[in-house]
Coordinates of all heavy atoms in Angstrom, one line a residue:
G124 N 41.9 -89.9 -59.2 CA 43.0 -89.7 -60.1 C 42.7 -90.1 -61.5 O 43.0 -89.4 -62.4
G125 N 42.0 -91.2 -61.7 CA 41.7 -91.7 -63.1 C 40.8 -90.8 -63.8 O 41.0 -90.5 -64.9
A126 N 39.8 -90.3 -63.0 CA 38.8 -89.4 -63.7 C 39.5 -88.0 -64.0 O 39.2 -87.5 -65.1 CB 37.6 -89.1 -62.7
A127 N 40.4 -87.6 -63.1 CA 41.1 -86.3 -63.4 C 42.0 -86.5 -64.6 O 42.0 -85.6 -65.5 CB 41.9 -85.9 -62.2
L128 N 42.7 -87.6 -64.7 CA 43.5 -87.9 -65.9 C 42.7 -87.9 -67.1 O 43.1 -87.3 -68.1 CB 44.3 -89.2 -65.7 CG 45.1 -89.6 -66.8 CD1 46.3 -88.7 -67.0 CD2 45.6 -91.1 -66.6
Q129 N 41.6 -88.6 -67.1 CA 40.7 -88.7 -68.3 C 40.2 -87.3 -68.7 O 40.3 -86.9 -69.8 CB 39.5 -89.6 -68.0 CG 38.7 -89.7 -69.2 CD 37.6 -90.8 -69.0 OE1 37.5 -91.5 -68.0 NE2 36.7 -90.9 -69.9
A130 N 39.8 -86.5 -67.7 CA 39.2 -85.1 -68.1 C 40.3 -84.2 -68.5 O 40.1 -83.3 -69.4 CB 38.5 -84.6 -66.8
A131 N 41.5 -84.3 -68.0 CA 42.6 -83.4 -68.4 C 43.3 -83.8 -69.6 O 43.8 -82.9 -70.3 CB 43.6 -83.3 -67.2
F132 N 43.4 -85.0 -69.9 CA 44.2 -85.4 -71.0 C 43.5 -86.2 -72.1 O 43.7 -85.9 -73.3 CB 45.4 -86.3 -70.6 CG 46.4 -85.5 -69.7 CD1 46.4 -85.7 -68.3 CD2 47.2 -84.5 -70.3 CE1 47.2 -84.9 -67.6 CE2 48.1 -83.8 -69.5 CZ 48.1 -84.0 -68.1
L133 N 42.7 -87.2 -71.8 CA 42.1 -88.1 -72.8 C 41.0 -87.4 -73.5 O 40.9 -87.5 -74.8 CB 41.7 -89.4 -72.2 CG 42.8 -90.2 -71.5 CD1 42.3 -91.5 -70.9 CD2 43.9 -90.5 -72.5
L134 N 40.1 -86.8 -72.8 CA 38.9 -86.2 -73.5 C 39.3 -85.1 -74.4 O 38.8 -85.0 -75.5 CB 37.9 -85.7 -72.4 CG 37.2 -86.9 -71.6 CD1 36.3 -86.3 -70.6 CD2 36.5 -87.8 -72.5
P135 N 40.2 -84.2 -74.0 CA 40.6 -83.1 -75.1 C 41.1 -83.8 -76.3 O 40.9 -83.3 -77.4 CB 41.6 -82.3 -74.4 CG 41.2 -82.5 -72.9 CD 40.8 -83.9 -72.8
C136 N 41.9 -84.8 -76.2 CA 42.5 -85.5 -77.4 C 41.4 -86.1 -78.2 O 41.4 -86.0 -79.4 CB 43.5 -86.5 -77.0 SG 45.0 -85.9 -76.3
S137 N 40.4 -86.7 -77.6 CA 39.2 -87.2 -78.4 C 38.5 -86.1 -79.1 O 38.1 -86.3 -80.3 CB 38.2 -87.9 -77.3 OG 38.8 -89.0 -76.8
R138 N 38.4 -84.9 -78.5 CA 37.7 -83.8 -79.2 C 38.5 -83.4 -80.4 O 37.9 -83.1 -81.5 CB 37.4 -82.7 -78.2 CG 36.3 -83.0 -77.3 CD 35.9 -81.7 -76.5 NE 36.9 -81.2 -75.6 CZ 37.1 -81.7 -74.3 NH1 36.4 -82.6 -73.8 NH2 38.1 -81.2 -73.6
V139 N 39.8 -83.4 -80.3 CA 40.7 -83.0 -81.4 C 40.5 -84.0 -82.5 O 40.4 -83.6 -83.7 CB 42.2 -82.8 -80.9 CG1 43.1 -82.8 -82.1 CG2 42.3 -81.6 -80.0
Q140 N 40.5 -85.2 -82.2 CA 40.4 -86.3 -83.2 C 39.0 -86.2 -83.9 O 38.9 -86.4 -85.1 CB 40.6 -87.6 -82.6 CG 42.0 -87.9 -82.1 CD 42.2 -89.1 -81.3 OE1 41.3 -89.6 -80.6 NE2 43.4 -89.6 -81.2
E141 N 38.0 -85.9 -83.1 CA 36.6 -85.7 -83.7 C 36.7 -84.5 -84.7 O 36.1 -84.6 -85.7 CB 35.6 -85.5 -82.6 CG 35.2 -86.7 -81.8 CD 34.3 -87.6 -82.7 OE1 33.4 -87.1 -83.5 OE2 34.4 -88.8 -82.6
S142 N 37.3 -83.4 -84.3 CA 37.3 -82.3 -85.2 C 38.1 -82.6 -86.4 O 37.8 -82.1 -87.5 CB 38.0 -81.1 -84.4 OG 37.1 -80.7 -83.4
E143 N 39.2 -83.3 -86.3 CA 40.0 -83.7 -87.4 C 39.2 -84.6 -88.4 O 39.3 -84.5 -89.6 CB 41.3 -84.4 -87.0 CG 42.2 -84.8 -88.2 CD 43.4 -85.5 -87.7 OE1 43.9 -85.2 -86.6 OE2 44.0 -86.4 -88.4
A144 N 38.4 -85.5 -87.8 CA 37.5 -86.4 -88.6 C 36.5 -85.6 -89.4 O 36.2 -85.9 -90.5 CB 36.8 -87.4 -87.7
D145 N 36.0 -84.5 -88.8 CA 35.1 -83.6 -89.5 C 35.8 -83.0 -90.7 O 35.1 -82.9 -91.8 CB 34.6 -82.5 -88.6 CG 33.6 -82.9 -87.5 OD1 33.1 -84.1 -87.7 OD2 33.3 -82.2 -86.6
V146 N 37.0 -82.5 -90.6 CA 37.7 -81.9 -91.6 C 37.9 -82.9 -92.8 O 37.5 -82.6 -93.9 CB 39.1 -81.3 -91.1 CG1 39.9 -80.9 -92.3 CG2 38.9 -80.2 -90.2
V147 N 38.4 -84.1 -92.5 CA 38.7 -85.1 -93.5 C 37.4 -85.5 -94.1 O 37.3 -85.7 -95.3 CB 39.5 -86.2 -92.9 CG1 39.6 -87.4 -93.9 CG2 40.9 -85.7 -92.5
G148 N 36.4 -85.8 -93.3 CA 35.1 -86.2 -93.8 C 34.4 -85.2 -94.8 O 33.9 -85.6 -95.9
Q149 N 34.5 -83.9 -94.5 CA 33.9 -83.0 -95.3 C 34.7 -82.8 -96.6 O 34.1 -82.6 -97.7 CB 33.9 -81.6 -94.6 CG 32.8 -80.7 -95.1 CD 32.7 -79.5 -94.2 OE1 33.6 -79.1 -93.4 NE2 31.6 -78.7 -94.4
Q150 N 36.0 -83.0 -96.5 CA 36.8 -83.0 -97.8 C 36.5 -84.1 -98.7 O 36.3 -84.0 -99.9 CB 38.3 -83.0 -97.4 CG 38.8 -81.7 -96.8 CD 40.2 -81.9 -96.2 OE1 40.8 -83.0 -96.1 NE2 40.8 -80.8 -95.9
L151 N 36.3 -85.3 -98.1 CA 36.0 -86.5 -98.8 C 34.7 -86.4 -99.5 O 34.4 -86.9 -100.6 CB 36.2 -87.7 -98.0 CG 37.6 -88.1 -97.6 CD1 37.6 -89.3 -96.6 CD2 38.4 -88.5 -98.8
M152 N 33.7 -85.9 -98.7 CA 32.3 -85.8 -99.3 C 32.3 -84.9 -100.5 O 31.6 -85.1 -101.5 CB 31.3 -85.4 -98.2 CG 31.3 -84.0 -97.7 SD 30.1 -83.7 -96.3 CE 28.6 -83.8 -97.2
A153 N 33.1 -83.7 -100.4 CA 33.1 -82.8 -101.6 C 33.7 -83.5 -102.8 O 33.2 -83.4 -103.9 CB 33.9 -81.5 -101.1
R154 N 34.8 -84.3 -102.5 CA 35.5 -84.9 -103.7 C 34.6 -86.0 -104.3 O 34.9 -86.4 -105.4 CB 36.9 -85.5 -103.2 CG 37.8 -84.4 -102.9 CD 39.2 -85.0 -102.5 NE 40.0 -84.0 -101.8 CZ 40.9 -84.3 -100.8 NH1 41.0 -85.5 -100.4 NH2 41.5 -83.3 -100.3
A155 N 33.7 -86.6 -103.5 CA 32.9 -87.7 -103.9 C 31.6 -87.1 -104.7 O 30.8 -87.9 -105.2 CB 32.5 -88.5 -102.8
G156 N 31.4 -85.8 -104.6 CA 30.2 -85.2 -105.3 C 29.1 -84.9 -104.4 O 28.0 -84.6 -104.9
F157 N 29.3 -85.0 -103.0 CA 28.3 -84.6 -102.1 C 28.5 -83.1 -101.8 O 29.7 -82.7 -101.6 CB 28.4 -85.4 -100.8 CG 28.0 -86.8 -100.9 CD1 28.9 -87.8 -101.1 CD2 26.6 -87.2 -100.8 CE1 28.5 -89.1 -101.2 CE2 26.3 -88.5 -100.8 CZ 27.2 -89.5 -101.1
D158 N 27.5 -82.4 -101.6 CA 27.6 -81.0 -101.3 C 28.1 -80.8 -99.8 O 27.4 -81.2 -98.9 CB 26.2 -80.3 -101.4 CG 26.3 -78.8 -101.3 OD1 27.3 -78.2 -100.7 OD2 25.3 -78.1 -101.8
P159 N 29.3 -80.2 -99.7 CA 29.9 -80.1 -98.3 C 29.0 -79.2 -97.4 O 29.2 -79.3 -96.1 CB 31.3 -79.5 -98.6 CG 31.2 -78.8 -99.9 CD 30.2 -79.6 -100.7
R160 N 28.2 -78.4 -97.9 CA 27.3 -77.6 -97.1 C 26.2 -78.4 -96.4 O 25.7 -77.9 -95.4 CB 26.7 -76.4 -98.0 CG 27.7 -75.5 -98.5 CD 27.2 -74.7 -99.6 NE 26.9 -75.5 -100.8 CZ 26.8 -75.0 -102.0 NH1 26.9 -73.7 -102.3 NH2 26.6 -75.8 -103.1
A161 N 26.0 -79.6 -96.9 CA 24.9 -80.4 -96.3 C 25.3 -80.9 -94.9 O 24.5 -81.4 -94.1 CB 24.6 -81.6 -97.3
A162 N 26.6 -80.9 -94.6 CA 27.1 -81.4 -93.3 C 26.5 -80.5 -92.2 O 26.2 -81.0 -91.1 CB 28.6 -81.4 -93.2
V163 N 26.3 -79.2 -92.5 CA 25.7 -78.4 -91.5 C 24.3 -78.9 -91.1 O 24.0 -79.0 -90.0 CB 25.6 -76.9 -92.0 CG1 24.9 -76.0 -91.1 CG2 27.1 -76.4 -92.3
G164 N 23.5 -79.2 -92.1 CA 22.1 -79.7 -91.9 C 22.1 -81.0 -91.1 O 21.3 -81.2 -90.2
L165 N 23.1 -81.8 -91.4 CA 23.2 -83.1 -90.7 C 23.4 -82.9 -89.2 O 22.7 -83.4 -88.4 CB 24.3 -83.9 -91.3 CG 24.7 -85.2 -90.4 CD1 23.7 -86.3 -90.7 CD2 26.1 -85.6 -90.7
W166 N 24.3 -82.0 -88.9 CA 24.6 -81.7 -87.5 C 23.5 -81.0 -86.7 O 23.2 -81.2 -85.6 CB 25.9 -81.0 -87.3 CG 27.0 -82.1 -87.3 CD1 27.8 -82.4 -88.4 CD2 27.2 -83.0 -86.3 NE1 28.6 -83.5 -88.0 CE2 28.3 -83.9 -86.8 CE3 26.7 -83.3 -85.0 CZ2 28.8 -84.9 -86.0 CZ3 27.3 -84.3 -84.3 CH2 28.3 -85.2 -84.8
Q167 N 22.7 -80.2 -87.5 CA 21.6 -79.5 -86.9 C 20.5 -80.6 -86.6 O 19.9 -80.5 -85.5 CB 21.0 -78.4 -87.9 CG 21.9 -77.2 -87.9 CD 21.6 -76.3 -89.1 OE1 21.0 -76.7 -90.1 NE2 22.0 -75.0 -88.9
N168 N 20.3 -81.5 -87.5 CA 19.4 -82.6 -87.2 C 19.9 -83.5 -86.0 O 19.0 -83.9 -85.2 CB 19.2 -83.5 -88.5 CG 18.5 -82.8 -89.6 OD1 17.8 -81.9 -89.4 ND2 18.7 -83.3 -90.8
M169 N 21.2 -83.7 -85.9 CA 21.7 -84.5 -84.8 C 21.4 -83.7 -83.5 O 21.0 -84.4 -82.5 CB 23.2 -84.7 -84.9 CG 23.6 -85.5 -86.1 SD 23.5 -87.2 -85.9 CE 25.0 -87.5 -85.0
I170 N 21.6 -82.4 -83.4 CA 21.3 -81.7 -82.2 C 19.8 -81.8 -81.9 O 19.5 -82.1 -80.7 CB 21.7 -80.2 -82.4 CG1 23.2 -80.1 -82.4 CG2 21.1 -79.3 -81.3 CD1 23.7 -78.7 -82.8
N171 N 18.9 -81.6 -82.9 CA 17.5 -81.7 -82.7 C 17.1 -83.1 -82.2 O 16.2 -83.2 -81.3 CB 16.7 -81.4 -83.9 CG 16.9 -79.9 -84.2 OD1 17.2 -79.0 -83.4 ND2 16.7 -79.6 -85.5
A172 N 17.7 -84.1 -82.7 CA 17.4 -85.5 -82.3 C 17.8 -85.9 -80.9 O 17.2 -86.7 -80.3 CB 18.0 -86.5 -83.3
S173 N 18.9 -85.2 -80.5 CA 19.4 -85.5 -79.1 C 18.6 -84.8 -78.1 O 18.8 -85.1 -76.9 CB 20.9 -85.1 -79.1 OG 21.0 -83.7 -79.0
G174 N 17.8 -83.9 -78.4 CA 17.0 -83.1 -77.4 C 17.8 -82.1 -76.8 O 17.4 -81.4 -75.8
G175 N 19.1 -81.9 -77.2 CA 19.9 -80.8 -76.7 C 20.6 -81.1 -75.4 O 21.4 -80.3 -74.9
S176 N 20.4 -82.3 -74.8 CA 21.1 -82.6 -73.6 C 22.5 -83.2 -73.8 O 22.6 -84.1 -74.7 CB 20.3 -83.6 -72.8 OG 20.1 -84.9 -73.4
R177 N 23.4 -82.7 -73.2 CA 24.8 -83.2 -73.3 C 25.6 -82.8 -72.1 O 25.2 -81.9 -71.4 CB 25.4 -82.7 -74.6 CG 25.4 -81.3 -74.8 CD 26.2 -80.8 -76.1 NE 27.6 -80.8 -75.9 CZ 28.5 -81.7 -76.5 NH1 28.1 -82.6 -77.3 NH2 29.8 -81.6 -76.2
P178 N 26.7 -83.6 -71.8 CA 27.5 -83.3 -70.6 C 28.2 -81.9 -70.9 O 28.4 -81.5 -72.0 CB 28.5 -84.4 -70.5 CG 28.5 -85.0 -71.9 CD 27.2 -84.7 -72.5
P179 N 28.8 -81.4 -69.8 CA 29.7 -80.2 -70.0 C 30.8 -80.5 -71.0 O 31.2 -81.6 -71.1 CB 30.2 -79.9 -68.6 CG 29.4 -80.7 -67.7 CD 28.8 -81.8 -68.4
Q180 N 31.2 -79.5 -71.7 CA 32.3 -79.6 -72.7 C 33.5 -80.4 -72.2 O 34.0 -81.2 -72.8 CB 32.7 -78.3 -73.3 CG 33.8 -78.4 -74.3 CD 33.4 -79.0 -75.7 OE1 32.3 -79.1 -76.1 NE2 34.4 -79.5 -76.3
W181 N 33.9 -80.0 -71.0 CA 35.1 -80.6 -70.5 C 35.0 -82.1 -70.2 O 35.9 -82.8 -69.9 CB 35.6 -79.8 -69.3 CG 34.7 -79.7 -68.1 CD1 33.6 -78.9 -68.0 CD2 34.7 -80.6 -67.0 NE1 33.0 -79.1 -66.8 CE2 33.6 -80.1 -66.2 CE3 35.4 -81.6 -66.5 CZ2 33.3 -80.7 -64.9 CZ3 35.2 -82.2 -65.3 CH2 34.1 -81.8 -64.5
L182 N 33.7 -82.6 -70.1 CA 33.5 -84.1 -69.8 C 33.1 -84.8 -71.1 O 32.8 -86.0 -71.0 CB 32.4 -84.2 -68.8 CG 32.8 -84.0 -67.4 CD1 31.6 -84.1 -66.5 CD2 33.9 -84.9 -66.9
S183 N 33.1 -84.1 -72.2 CA 32.6 -84.7 -73.5 C 33.8 -85.2 -74.3 O 34.8 -84.6 -74.4 CB 31.8 -83.7 -74.3 OG 31.3 -84.3 -75.5
T184 N 33.5 -86.3 -75.1 CA 34.5 -86.8 -76.1 C 34.3 -86.1 -77.4 O 35.1 -86.3 -78.3 CB 34.4 -88.3 -76.3 OG1 33.0 -88.6 -76.7 CG2 34.7 -89.1 -75.0
H185 N 33.3 -85.3 -77.6 CA 32.9 -84.6 -78.8 C 33.0 -83.1 -78.7 O 32.7 -82.6 -77.6 CB 31.6 -85.1 -79.3 CG 31.5 -86.5 -79.7 ND1 31.5 -87.5 -78.7 CD2 31.4 -87.1 -80.9 CE1 31.4 -88.7 -79.4 NE2 31.4 -88.5 -80.6
P186 N 33.3 -82.4 -79.7 CA 33.3 -81.0 -79.7 C 31.9 -80.4 -79.5 O 30.9 -81.2 -79.8 CB 33.8 -80.6 -81.1 CG 34.4 -81.8 -81.7 CD 33.8 -82.9 -81.0
D187 N 31.8 -79.2 -79.0 CA 30.5 -78.6 -78.8 C 29.8 -78.6 -80.1 O 30.3 -78.1 -81.2 CB 30.7 -77.2 -78.3 CG 29.3 -76.4 -78.2 OD1 28.5 -76.8 -77.4 OD2 29.2 -75.5 -79.0
P188 N 28.5 -79.1 -80.2 CA 27.8 -79.1 -81.5 C 27.7 -77.8 -82.3 O 27.8 -77.7 -83.4 CB 26.4 -79.6 -81.2 CG 26.6 -80.4 -79.9 CD 27.7 -79.7 -79.2
Q189 N 27.4 -76.7 -81.5 CA 27.3 -75.4 -82.2 C 28.7 -75.0 -82.7 O 28.7 -74.4 -83.8 CB 26.8 -74.3 -81.2 CG 25.4 -74.6 -80.7 CD 24.4 -74.6 -81.9 OE1 24.5 -74.0 -82.9 NE2 23.3 -75.4 -81.7
S190 N 29.7 -75.2 -82.0 CA 31.1 -74.9 -82.5 C 31.4 -75.7 -83.8 O 31.9 -75.2 -84.8 CB 32.2 -75.2 -81.5 OG 32.0 -74.3 -80.4
R191 N 31.0 -77.0 -83.7 CA 31.2 -77.9 -84.8 C 30.5 -77.4 -86.1 O 31.0 -77.4 -87.1 CB 30.6 -79.3 -84.4 CG 31.0 -80.4 -85.3 CD 30.6 -81.7 -84.6 NE 31.6 -82.7 -84.8 CZ 31.6 -83.9 -84.2 NH1 30.7 -84.2 -83.4 NH2 32.5 -84.7 -84.5
I192 N 29.2 -76.9 -85.9 CA 28.4 -76.4 -87.0 C 29.1 -75.2 -87.5 O 29.2 -75.0 -88.8 CB 27.0 -76.2 -86.6 CG1 26.2 -77.5 -86.4 CG2 26.3 -75.3 -87.6 CD1 24.9 -77.3 -85.8
G193 N 29.6 -74.3 -86.7 CA 30.3 -73.1 -87.2 C 31.5 -73.5 -88.0 O 31.8 -72.9 -89.1
E194 N 32.3 -74.5 -87.6 CA 33.5 -74.8 -88.3 C 33.1 -75.5 -89.7 O 33.8 -75.3 -90.7 CB 34.3 -75.8 -87.5 CG 35.0 -75.1 -86.3 CD 35.6 -76.1 -85.3 OE1 36.0 -77.2 -85.7 OE2 35.9 -75.7 -84.2
L195 N 32.1 -76.3 -89.6 CA 31.6 -76.9 -90.9 C 31.2 -75.9 -91.9 O 31.4 -75.9 -93.1 CB 30.5 -77.9 -90.6 CG 30.9 -79.2 -89.9 CD1 29.6 -79.9 -89.4 CD2 31.6 -80.1 -90.8
Q196 N 30.4 -74.8 -91.4 CA 30.0 -73.7 -92.3 C 31.1 -73.0 -92.9 O 31.2 -72.7 -94.1 CB 29.1 -72.8 -91.5 CG 27.7 -73.3 -91.2 CD 26.9 -72.4 -90.3 OE1 27.4 -71.8 -89.4 NE2 25.6 -72.3 -90.6
N197 N 32.2 -72.7 -92.0 CA 33.3 -72.0 -92.5 C 34.1 -72.8 -93.5 O 34.6 -72.2 -94.5 CB 34.3 -71.6 -91.3 CG 33.7 -70.6 -90.4 OD1 32.8 -69.8 -90.8 ND2 34.1 -70.6 -89.1
R198 N 34.2 -74.0 -93.3 CA 35.0 -74.9 -94.3 C 34.2 -75.1 -95.6 O 34.8 -75.3 -96.7 CB 35.3 -76.2 -93.7 CG 36.7 -76.3 -93.1 CD 37.0 -77.7 -92.8 NE 36.1 -78.5 -92.1 CZ 35.9 -78.5 -90.8 NH1 36.6 -77.8 -90.0 NH2 34.9 -79.2 -90.3
A199 N 32.9 -75.2 -95.5 CA 32.1 -75.6 -96.7 C 32.3 -74.7 -97.9 O 32.5 -75.2 -99.0 CB 30.6 -75.6 -96.3
T200 N 32.4 -73.4 -97.7 CA 32.6 -72.4 -98.8 C 33.8 -72.7 -99.6 O 33.9 -72.8 -100.8 CB 32.6 -71.0 -98.3 OG1 31.4 -70.8 -97.6 CG2 32.7 -70.0 -99.4
G201 N 34.9 -73.1 -98.8 CA 36.2 -73.4 -99.5 C 36.2 -74.7 -100.2 O 37.0 -74.9 -101.1
L202 N 35.2 -75.6 -99.8 CA 35.2 -76.9 -100.5 C 34.2 -77.0 -101.6 O 34.2 -78.0 -102.4 CB 34.8 -77.9 -99.5 CG 35.8 -78.2 -98.3 CD1 35.2 -79.1 -97.2 CD2 37.0 -78.9 -99.0
V203 N 33.5 -75.9 -101.9 CA 32.5 -75.9 -103.0 C 33.2 -76.1 -104.3 O 32.8 -76.9 -105.2 CB 31.6 -74.6 -103.0 CG1 30.9 -74.5 -104.3 CG2 30.7 -74.7 -101.8
P204 N 34.4 -75.5 -104.6 CA 35.1 -75.8 -105.8 C 35.4 -77.3 -106.1 O 35.3 -77.8 -107.1 CB 36.3 -75.0 -105.8 CG 36.0 -73.8 -104.9 CD 35.1 -74.4 -103.8
S205 N 35.8 -78.0 -105.0 CA 36.1 -79.4 -105.1 C 34.8 -80.2 -105.4 O 34.8 -81.1 -106.2 CB 36.7 -80.0 -103.8 OG 37.9 -79.5 -103.6
Y206 N 33.7 -79.8 -104.8 CA 32.4 -80.4 -105.0 C 32.0 -80.2 -106.5 O 31.6 -81.1 -107.1 CB 31.4 -79.8 -104.1 CG 30.0 -79.9 -104.4 CD1 29.3 -81.2 -104.5 CD2 29.2 -78.8 -104.8 CE1 28.0 -81.3 -104.8 CE2 27.8 -79.0 -105.1 CZ 27.2 -80.2 -105.1 OH 25.9 -80.3 -105.4
E207 N 32.1 -78.9 -107.0 CA 31.7 -78.6 -108.4 C 32.6 -79.4 -109.3 O 32.1 -79.8 -110.4 CB 31.8 -77.1 -108.5 CG 30.7 -76.4 -107.8 CD 30.8 -74.9 -107.8 OE1 31.9 -74.4 -108.2 OE2 29.8 -74.2 -107.5
Q208 N 33.9 -79.5 -109.0 CA 34.8 -80.3 -109.9 C 34.4 -81.7 -109.9 O 34.4 -82.4 -111.0 CB 36.2 -80.1 -109.4 CG 37.2 -80.8 -110.3 CD 38.7 -80.6 -109.8 OE1 38.9 -80.3 -108.7 NE2 39.6 -80.9 -110.7
A209 N 34.0 -82.3 -108.8 CA 33.6 -83.7 -108.8 C 32.3 -83.9 -109.6 O 32.2 -84.9 -110.3 CB 33.4 -84.1 -107.3
R210 N 31.4 -83.0 -109.4 CA 30.1 -83.0 -110.2 C 30.4 -82.9 -111.7 O 29.8 -83.6 -112.5 CB 29.2 -81.9 -109.7 CG 28.8 -82.0 -108.3 CD 27.9 -83.1 -107.9 NE 26.6 -82.9 -108.4 CZ 25.5 -83.6 -108.0 NH1 25.7 -84.5 -107.1 NH2 24.4 -83.3 -108.4
S211 N 31.3 -82.0 -112.0 CA 31.6 -81.9 -113.5 C 32.3 -83.2 -114.0 O 32.1 -83.5 -115.2 CB 32.6 -80.7 -113.7 OG 32.0 -79.5 -113.4
A212 N 33.0 -83.9 -113.2 CA 33.6 -85.2 -113.6 C 32.6 -86.3 -113.6 O 33.0 -87.5 -113.8 CB 34.8 -85.4 -112.6
G213 N 31.4 -86.1 -113.3 CA 30.3 -87.1 -113.3 C 30.0 -87.8 -112.0 O 29.3 -88.7 -111.9
R214 N 30.7 -87.3 -110.9 CA 30.4 -87.9 -109.6 C 29.1 -87.3 -109.1 O 29.0 -86.2 -108.6 CB 31.5 -87.6 -108.6 CG 32.8 -88.3 -109.1 CD 33.9 -88.3 -108.0 NE 35.2 -88.5 -108.6 CZ 36.1 -87.4 -108.8 NH1 35.9 -86.3 -108.3 NH2 37.2 -87.7 -109.4
R215 N 28.1 -88.2 -109.1 CA 26.8 -87.8 -108.7 C 26.2 -88.8 -107.8 O 25.4 -89.7 -108.3 CB 25.8 -87.5 -109.8 CG 26.3 -86.4 -110.7 CD 25.4 -86.0 -111.8 NE 26.0 -85.0 -112.7 CZ 26.0 -83.7 -112.4 NH1 25.4 -83.2 -111.3 NH2 26.6 -82.9 -113.3
P216 N 26.5 -88.8 -106.5 CA 26.1 -89.9 -105.6 C 24.5 -90.0 -105.6 O 23.8 -88.9 -105.7 CB 26.6 -89.5 -104.2 CG 27.6 -88.4 -104.5 CD 27.3 -87.9 -105.8
A217 N 24.0 -91.2 -105.6 CA 22.6 -91.3 -105.5 C 22.2 -92.1 -104.3 O 22.0 -93.3 -104.3 CB 22.1 -92.1 -106.8
C218 N 22.1 -91.4 -103.2 CA 21.7 -92.0 -101.9 C 20.2 -91.8 -101.7 O 19.7 -90.7 -102.0 CB 22.5 -91.4 -100.8 SG 24.3 -91.6 -101.0
G219 N 19.6 -92.7 -101.1 CA 18.2 -92.5 -100.7 C 17.4 -93.6 -100.7 O 16.7 -94.3 -100.6

């Protein structure tokens, strides 16, 4: 019963929250002067580092990585103006 409840109700909510965090995080990075397109490379590196093994989607707390990358790519283009505006305002993060 508990496992069925978790798979049916809790895990999908976790995936929705993870997706929402991606949206907000990508918006914040653009406003801070980070290129929002870089999020795609980050997730590609995450997939490569994990070796590609993951549980079935319905048992996972995270969205499918390939779907996540597609959503990040789609959003990135719309966030480039915010990124460019932040850069014009002098926001140039120096990480490294």
Side-chain angles (χ1 to χ4, degrees):
L128 174 68
Q129 184 173 354
F132 295 103
L133 299 178
L134 293 178
C136 289
S137 295
R138 287 190 295 274
V139 168
Q140 291 168 337
E141 283 284 324
S142 295
E143 184 178 327
D145 287 348
V146 171
V147 173
Q149 202 173 21
Q150 290 169 346
L151 290 173
M152 71 184 289
R154 291 182 197 149
F157 289 95
D158 188 339
R160 297 167 288 201
V163 173
L165 169 79
W166 278 101
Q167 289 169 336
N168 290 341
M169 297 278 282
I170 290 170
N171 292 337
S173 73
S176 63
R177 52 179 279 112
Q180 176 70 26
W181 61 276
L182 284 177
S183 178
T184 58
H185 293 74
D187 174 67
Q189 294 300 331
S190 297
R191 192 174 219 169
I192 287 171
E194 290 173 18
L195 290 166
Q196 285 173 323
N197 290 338
R198 263 192 315 275
T200 304
L202 292 170
V203 168
S205 292
Y206 162 67
E207 291 172 344
Q208 183 179 17
R210 301 292 283 195
S211 294
R214 293 189 204 110
R215 298 184 186 279
C218 301

